Amino acid sequence: MSAPCVLIASCCNLKPDFLVKEILKLDDLGNGTCILEKICAYDWNIETKYYTASVQLCTTEERTIGNESFAESVEAFLVCFDSHQKNSFDSVKSWLPYLNQLEPEIKMLVCHQCTENHEVKRLTVQEWCIDNDFELVELAPEEDSDENDDFPETTGIKRIIQALHAHTWSNLTMKENPSVCSPYVRQLMQDEFKAKKAQENQKSLDCAPNHVNKTACDSDEENQLRVDSSCVDCAHSSKSNPENQPEFEEAISLAQDVSKIDKEKKPKEKTKEESLDLLHACEDLQLFEALGTDDPGGESFEKLFERFGLMKEKAQSLPHQERKKYAEKVAVAFWRAMGGDEDEVEGLSETDDLDTECIPQNIP
Amino acid sequence: MIKFLLLINKHGQICISKHYQHLEQEDRQRLEKELIGICLKRGNKKSSFLEYHDFILVYRCYLDLFFIAGITKDENEMAIYEFFHLILETLDKYFPKLSEVDIQFNLDKVHMILDEMIINGNIVETSPARILAPIELLDAAKR
């Protein structure tokens, strides 16, 4: 079957070619292909968010249904008329029997402007349109100061294109991944991307310490398992043999011991985490120092300032004593970045460097 | 309560039709056809409220789409009028640059959004963020 058609006709001096030009947004149409006598066709590729379709815009000078295959391919019909001339509207009416044959789904009546003062009154036109499933489109509608500006009506040629877009063309091909997705999903994708990146960075940093933690945990779990199974064994034996009671108690005390060890171990793990945090803190400190040696008052200050929020958060997670030291480091780094006198801070930072645990780790 | 909600385009074609009270298929179609005629004829320059048979008709035209609702007489017309705006804002939030095509190709989503907002003819949710939450959750799961 041939491509679906939009049949464009005119019952006034506005040429159908004009609408084709407007729809295709071309200044010069050139010669369309004559598919039938007095019917010219121009290709139009429709591209919307959801589908693509190629249709033909067909112009005709006179009332016709072409031939059978053409009549079948007509899916939309546009007709122009002049509201100043009654006979123009009458000739639109005489299209109706043809339209019964063509059966287009979209029917639009196009005029320049239609008001109550014209020879053909707006209300008459509108009622006729509704009765015959037409849509009235004015190319230059009366300006109305409508209050809902957020979602204005589209008019004129834009409306014609919009209405044609909204039609389900018989040959449309859906796009596989419609580019529309809600802002939320877009946000989600961005977040995921960021998270992935952050994870990769984290991995490279945490690789070694994580490993240590894991092995420690694993061995703990193994211990727990062993104790559990031994408990079960004891329970069995105690049931069958009441004399084994002391043995059973022994097992319980053993289990308790192990759990005690567990409890003792947990705080140790915590300190491990703390030291991890400290490691990060040290990286920051390195940054401070690197920045501090930069030209004073230049970019380094801005960089430092950007990270200030982060530093504050980090400082809050540190234990009291560490926090103080960290704060001092920050202050010193700021002092240097601002281009303050080196003598003021020299003694301070050096003594602190020696005190801070993390510095030896940084120096290979 | 809201008896029914219609969304039609300027051609008089129905995009969305939701009824919250039982109506025979034939009556429904007849009613819809009548209402479409009335609303298209009145356009958006006349009052958006009118009494019709045993209910009140409220309609509003946005983006070349007509929102039409039939409500019982004890319902607040202005509230429904504003509710149309909320529906539109919610749809617009989900489909940036909303147009008729979006509704046409996402009927399921539009129905879900409306179902979040109206239950049994009563407005139950008016926060766009909460209305869209389940759909967005689904979208997130689909990826």
Side-chain angles (χ1 to χ4, degrees), chain A residues 49-51 106-107 127 130 135 144 151 153-154 159 162 166 168 174 182-185 188-189, chain B residues 10-11 40-41 44-45 63-64 88 92-94 96-97 100-102 104-106 136 139-140 143:
Chain A
K49 282 189 230 177
Y50 300 96
Y51 69 88
I106 292 191
K107 289 177 271 185
E127 278 178 4
I130 290 161
E135 179 181 338
D144 59 346
F151 304 102
E153 262 185 276
T154 36
R159 172 60 200 155
Q162 198 185 59
T168 346
M174 294 297 287
S182 69
Y184 175 78
V185 173
L188 215 75
M189 283 170 158
Chain B
K10 281 206 166 168
H11 274 84
L40 286 178
K41 241 171 239 179
N44 52 359
K45 287 198 180 117
L63 293 168
D64 306 286
L88 197 77
D92 192 57
K93 197 175 170 193
Y94 188 74
K97 283 191 184 168
E100 195 189 327
V101 195
D102 291 305
Q104 209 175 15
F105 286 94
N106 293 288
E136 286 172 339
D139 284 350
R143 273 184 313 113

Side-chain angles (χ1 to χ4, degrees), chain A residues 169-356:
Chain A
W169 298 98
S170 56
N171 69 340
L172 67 82
T173 41
M174 294 297 287
K175 289 185 178 176
E176 279 198 8
N177 296 314
S179 54
V180 260
C181 58
S182 69
Y184 175 78
V185 173
R186 215 171 299 139
Q187 179 68 36
L188 215 75
M189 283 170 158
Q190 278 171 359
D191 286 352
E192 203 180 76
F193 179 72
K194 273 182 204 159
K196 253 188 196 167
K197 242 187 166 179
Q199 224 172 31
E200 273 166 24
N201 287 342
Q202 200 72 23
K203 253 185 204 166
S204 55
L205 284 174
D206 290 355
C207 224
N210 253 354
H211 187 67
V212 174
N213 263 352
K214 228 185 185 177
T215 46
C217 287
D218 280 351
S219 59
D220 278 357
E221 266 172 23
E222 270 171 31
N223 280 346
Q224 193 72 50
L225 269 176
R226 255 179 242 149
V227 171
D228 281 349
S229 57
S230 68
C231 273
V232 170
D233 282 348
C234 293
H236 274 297
S237 55
S238 67
K239 256 183 198 170
S240 57
N241 199 352
E243 280 169 39
N244 280 348
Q245 199 69 22
E247 223 179 57
F248 180 47
E249 274 170 7
E250 218 178 83
I252 285 178
S253 67
L254 210 147
Q256 277 168 347
D257 278 348
V258 171
S259 66
K260 256 185 211 163
I261 292 166
D262 261 8
K263 271 174 198 164
E264 278 166 16
K265 257 188 188 171
K266 264 170 198 164
K268 266 185 200 165
E269 272 170 27
K270 245 183 201 169
T271 52
K272 243 179 221 165
E273 274 169 20
E274 273 164 18
S275 66
L276 256 180
D277 272 350
L278 261 178
L279 261 178
H280 289 299
C282 287
E283 276 158 22
D284 261 3
L285 293 175
Q286 268 182 323
L287 178 90
F288 298 160
E289 265 147 46
L291 288 173
T293 52
D294 267 358
D295 60 329
E299 276 177 41
S300 57
F301 179 74
E302 275 169 37
K303 271 186 197 167
L304 204 59
F305 196 68
E306 270 171 27
R307 299 194 64 162
F308 191 61
L310 263 171
M311 293 173 192
K312 207 183 151 196
E313 269 177 39
K314 199 158 281 173
Q316 272 166 353
S317 65
L318 291 174
H320 185 69
Q321 205 56 34
E322 304 292 340
R323 199 187 311 171
K324 267 189 176 173
K325 283 174 189 163
Y326 189 74
E328 210 169 284
K329 287 271 169 199
V330 173
V332 168
F334 266 94
W335 177 260
R336 282 187 177 144
M338 276 158 58
D341 198 353
E342 195 63 30
D343 296 337
E344 290 272 336
V345 289
E346 211 164 68
L348 264 177
S349 54
E350 264 173 21
T351 49
D352 271 329
D353 279 354
L354 294 172
D355 290 344
T356 320

Side-chain angles (χ1 to χ4, degrees), chain A residues 99-116:
Chain A
L99 293 178
N100 285 337
Q101 299 300 313
L102 294 170
E103 292 179 325
E105 267 187 74
I106 292 191
K107 289 177 271 185
M108 280 189 271
L109 183 60
V110 185
C111 69
H112 188 68
Q113 194 181 68
C114 192
T115 67
E116 286 305 304

